[in-house]
Amino acid sequence: TREQTSADDVPASITVISSDTIKQSPIAQLSDLLRTEASLNAVQLGGIGQQTSIFMRGTESDHTLILRDGVRLNTDASGLASLSFLDTTDIEQIEVLKGPASVLYGTNAIGGVVQVISQTPKENAAFMTTELGEHSTYKALIGADYAENDLFLQVRGQRLESDGTEITDHQDAQSSSYDQKGFSFKAGLKKQDYGFSIDHTQNQGNSVYEGFNWTSNAYEIYAQDFKNTVSTLKAYLQAVENTRIESRISRFKDELIQLQDQEKTTYTSDEYELLLKQNLNLAHQLTFGITHKNLE
């Protein structure tokens, strides 16, 4: 419904991956968290950082829309989101809407929608943690939260490295390593009648993978550098008792450099959204709005 609503009151198939599940393993990728969902098939071509696709209810891989706090992460070049390069450090929960949702969300929502909801600080806290695994895999996290007098501030930093595994079993197969680092920042004011927030997250790194070269008729090692950033400014105003105005300005930038060929792809999406929500009664609400998107 594009409005915070109890799942019991929504006439659609919705499941929620809670923060408790996400916190069980900071090193888990988005594909790992989604793999247990019914009617959703997460296919990953290898270990950490390798190409990942989602197939929901039998639809194609570009028929599932991926959102982060309302920002579209699917690129219009391929219709896919770079799932293997998205970090899960500051995620509060993941909402999975199964079934066609193009009426509400437009392109790419033929099979369903996966909405990633980021954390908002609720109390003062600070933490540092590390998780280790096989193949020299580790992830280190550091963060701090502030929440007082309707103000909140959140800072996160993370580093993930892995020697990776061999994707194929041919004689000269090599491991596909992965290196990622990033940070996120969120601040805002949340009052009953008005509020705003600014959110920025950035991830960058290097991914090594093995592919088949049809020219040399042999497997070869390839590498790519990646960087993705999501910046969002949101504001809301409770104009009168039953009328709420919401606005959003966001930028999603996805960069990928194929090192062997020195090919660089940069995708930038700027979105501007204005919504007017009118509560008619406890069970009915009208939402009017417009979203404008610039692509480069």
Side-chain angles (χ1 to χ4, degrees), residues 45-62:
L45 303 182
I48 295 177
Q50 300 305 304
Q51 180 180 330
T52 306
S53 302
I54 291 178
F55 303 86
M56 190 179 295
R57 286 191 169 179
T59 58
E60 298 179 12
S61 57
D62 56 349

Side-chain angles (χ1 to χ4, degrees), residues 9 13 15 22 30-32 38 52 66 92 99 101 106 111 118-119 132 142 148 157 160 170 195 201 265:
D9 298 330
S13 177
T15 56
I22 298 171
L30 188 59
S31 58
D32 298 327
T52 306
I66 311 296
E92 175 66 25
S118 64
Q119 296 174 350
L132 305 175
I142 186 170
E148 254 182 60
L160 169 62
H170 68 89
T201 180
T265 303

Side-chain angles (χ1 to χ4, degrees), residues 62 74-80 108 254 265-267 293 295-296:
D62 56 349
N74 297 60
T75 69
D76 286 51
S78 65
L80 306 174
N108 303 115
D254 188 81
T265 303
T266 302
Y267 172 88
K293 181 166 68 170
L295 300 179
E296 182 180 343

Side-chain angles (χ1 to χ4, degrees), residues 5-273:
T5 309
S6 171
D8 295 335
D9 298 330
V10 179
S13 177
I14 295 178
T15 56
V16 177
I17 302 174
S18 67
S19 58
D20 292 337
T21 301
I22 298 171
K23 290 177 182 177
Q24 286 178 1
S25 177
I27 212 168
Q29 302 173 95
L30 188 59
S31 58
D32 298 327
L33 298 170
L34 294 174
R35 192 165 284 120
T36 58
E37 286 293 307
S39 304
L40 191 153
N41 186 20
V43 179
Q44 189 164 342
L45 303 182
I48 295 177
Q50 300 305 304
Q51 180 180 330
T52 306
S53 302
I54 291 178
F55 303 86
M56 190 179 295
R57 286 191 169 179
T59 58
E60 298 179 12
S61 57
D62 56 349
H63 288 171
T64 299
L65 177 62
I66 311 296
L67 302 171
R68 177 188 166 89
D69 295 332
V71 180
R72 305 171 66 92
L73 302 184
N74 297 60
T75 69
D76 286 51
S78 65
L80 306 174
S82 300
L83 297 174
S84 53
F85 301 149
L86 300 178
D87 183 51
T88 59
T89 298
D90 63 342
I91 294 179
E92 175 66 25
Q93 65 185 39
I94 302 172
E95 301 172 355
V96 182
L97 169 60
K98 301 169 185 175
S102 297
V103 171
L104 285 175
Y105 292 99
T107 308
N108 303 115
I110 298 172
V113 178
V114 175
Q115 169 98 281
V116 175
I117 307 296
S118 64
Q119 296 174 350
T120 298
K122 299 178 177 65
E123 59 184 13
N124 298 334
F127 72 91
M128 182 171 60
T129 182
T130 300
E131 184 175 3
L132 305 175
E134 59 183 355
H135 307 298
S136 301
T137 300
Y138 80 92
K139 185 171 186 178
L141 307 175
I142 186 170
D145 294 340
Y146 170 83
E148 254 182 60
N149 301 323
D150 301 319
L151 291 170
F152 60 86
L153 173 65
Q154 175 181 279
V155 180
R156 297 280 190 272
Q158 58 88 11
R159 179 70 182 266
L160 169 62
E161 277 192 291
S162 176
D163 287 347
T165 56
E166 298 175 0
I167 298 176
T168 60
D169 57 1
H170 68 89
Q171 182 178 357
D172 299 322
Q174 300 183 43
S175 298
S176 299
S177 61
Y178 185 72
D179 181 11
Q180 173 187 282
K181 57 185 176 181
F183 70 92
S184 63
F185 168 84
K186 178 183 281 190
L189 173 69
K190 189 174 183 180
K191 289 185 173 292
Q192 183 175 353
D193 295 332
Y194 64 90
F196 73 91
S197 67
I198 182 170
D199 183 12
H200 178 81
T201 180
Q202 175 178 307
N203 295 299
Q204 64 184 82
N206 175 267
S207 177
V208 176
Y209 64 99
E210 193 174 45
F212 191 80
N213 189 321
W214 293 99
T215 302
S216 61
N217 200 35
Y219 283 97
E220 295 182 5
I221 289 293
Y222 297 89
Q224 53 191 9
D225 288 340
F226 63 88
K227 181 179 180 180
N228 62 77
T229 58
V230 182
S231 304
T232 307
L233 175 62
K234 289 183 176 182
Y236 66 88
L237 173 65
Q238 194 74 33
V240 293
E241 182 179 359
N242 295 319
T243 303
R244 181 182 175 97
I245 301 172
E246 298 181 359
S247 61
R248 172 175 61 88
I249 301 174
S250 63
R251 163 167 284 196
F252 169 54
K253 189 173 184 179
D254 188 81
E255 299 176 73
L256 189 65
I257 302 176
Q258 298 289 351
L259 299 178
Q260 276 75 7
D261 302 324
Q262 291 300 311
E263 294 181 353
K264 180 176 181 179
T265 303
T266 302
Y267 172 88
T268 306
S269 172
D270 294 320
E271 289 185 0
Y272 308 88
E273 184 171 76

